[in-house]
Amino acid sequence: MKVPISISISSFLRMACACLAALPFLAGAAMAQQGSESVERQIFDAANEARRAQGVARLKWDASLARAAKQHAAAMARQDSLSHQFPGEPALAARAAHAGVYFISLSENVAQGPDAGNLSDQWVKSPEHRQNLLDPDMNVIGVGVVERNGELFAVEDFAKIKPTAPLP
């Protein structure tokens, strides 16, 4: 059954103007998301390039680990501080497990900087972060980046994932 809809021209124009007024905000949110995804991809590529240069196997992208990394990057941005764990926040292993990652081992790099190149350079130049980055036991990575006041808060989470059990 069809139900006729009646709307006045003035009501229609008000709704159309409201929709048009919202477009810049929606476009800005979409561009911010696209921007962080681009930075995350650049960091992922830089990590694999650093590993390739040292003869270490390439890391695969893990979307679940990336979700955990992004959530922690958001926590760092909210706090405007770098930390592997804030008070009241679960530890890395719990964050990864909650995101659905089935892992044998984990490690994490965190940094704050203006762009992907700077963030990657910080990790490569720091002995502890470089060790995480080049660990041959790790086989997947998730990267999360959140921008706050022009600064990027970034997290690289690495894991050696459990092999999946064969189906019966």
Side-chain angles (χ1 to χ4, degrees):
M1 170 169 65
K2 293 183 180 178
V3 177
I5 297 176
S6 174
I7 186 169
S8 70
I9 298 281
S10 62
S11 293
F12 175 78
L13 289 175
R14 278 194 303 273
M15 287 191 305
C17 287
C19 290
L20 288 174
L23 280 177
F25 299 107
L26 296 173
M31 287 175 66
Q33 177 67 25
Q34 184 180 27
S36 70
E37 287 175 1
S38 173
V39 172
E40 290 161 358
R41 178 61 194 219
Q42 291 171 40
I43 291 171
F44 171 70
D45 290 342
N48 275 320
E49 177 56 29
R51 289 172 69 91
R52 185 203 60 75
Q54 296 299 313
V56 181
R58 182 175 179 78
L59 296 164
K60 293 180 184 168
W61 182 263
D62 187 282
S64 297
L65 203 53
R67 265 193 315 279
K70 184 81 157 199
Q71 289 173 350
H72 186 60
M76 292 192 314
R78 277 191 307 276
Q79 297 285 334
D80 196 21
S81 178
L82 297 179
S83 178
H84 290 284
Q85 183 180 10
F86 291 104
E89 181 187 33
L92 172 59
R95 294 192 312 260
H98 181 71
V101 180
Y102 299 99
F103 59 88
I104 295 168
S105 58
L106 291 166
S107 64
E108 180 176 72
N109 288 344
V110 299
Q112 178 182 351
D115 56 51
N118 175 277
L119 295 164
S120 295
D121 284 347
Q122 288 182 55
W123 288 323
V124 167
K125 292 177 180 174
S126 160
E128 296 85 7
H129 294 104
R130 183 177 174 84
Q131 182 178 353
N132 289 342
L133 179 64
L134 299 178
D135 185 341
D137 288 335
M138 300 300 175
N139 55 12
V140 297
I141 185 174
V143 178
V145 176
V146 173
E147 184 271 335
R148 179 179 181 200
N149 298 328
E151 280 290 297
L152 301 176
F153 290 82
V155 177
E156 285 181 320
D157 284 341
F158 305 94
K160 179 176 183 177
I161 56 171
K162 291 181 181 179
T164 55
L167 296 174

